[in-house]
Amino acid sequence: PVVTLVSVDPARDTPEVLARYVAHFDASFRGITGSAEAINALASALGVAVIVGPAAADGNYTVDHSAAIFLVNPEGRIAALFGTPHEAGTIARDFRRIVAAR
């Protein structure tokens, strides 16, 4: 399995920034980004809420988004949705069950 974190802030999350960010979780994780249009289309298709706040005087802004973890099967379909709170043991158990059922 491949863990991929998808950025919802392509203006700031360059491939280099994402590479440093995802490395804090695990060296095998990868980060991806794309155009704002592509990311918005994916977020909409998955039902992920994304809210970009107004820019402050220094140019910084907040980006709020859903915290769900999506398990996507090799065919590109959602196999599971893990909502919060994220409990590693529960996610691992459910992941093993889903993979075993394939």
Side-chain angles (χ1 to χ4, degrees):
V2 176
V3 175
T4 304
L5 282 73
V6 180
S7 168
V8 294
D9 186 11
R12 290 188 291 201
D13 290 341
T14 64
E16 296 78 21
V17 168
L18 284 173
R20 286 192 307 272
Y21 178 71
V22 299
H24 291 287
F25 295 95
D26 189 278
S28 69
F29 287 14
R30 67 178 175 184
I32 62 172
T33 189
S35 68
E37 295 79 16
I39 291 169
N40 290 337
L42 176 62
S44 179
L46 294 174
V48 172
V50 178
I51 301 169
V52 178
D58 64 1
N60 283 324
Y61 56 92
T62 60
V63 178
D64 296 315
H65 55 80
S66 303
I69 297 173
F70 295 84
L71 177 61
V72 180
N73 69 19
E75 292 78 34
R77 295 186 185 90
I78 296 174
L81 174 70
F82 302 103
T84 59
H86 297 132
E87 298 177 6
T90 301
I91 293 171
R93 182 198 67 224
D94 291 349
F95 175 79
R96 286 190 293 273
R97 287 180 180 166
I98 292 165
V99 170
R102 283 194 52 87

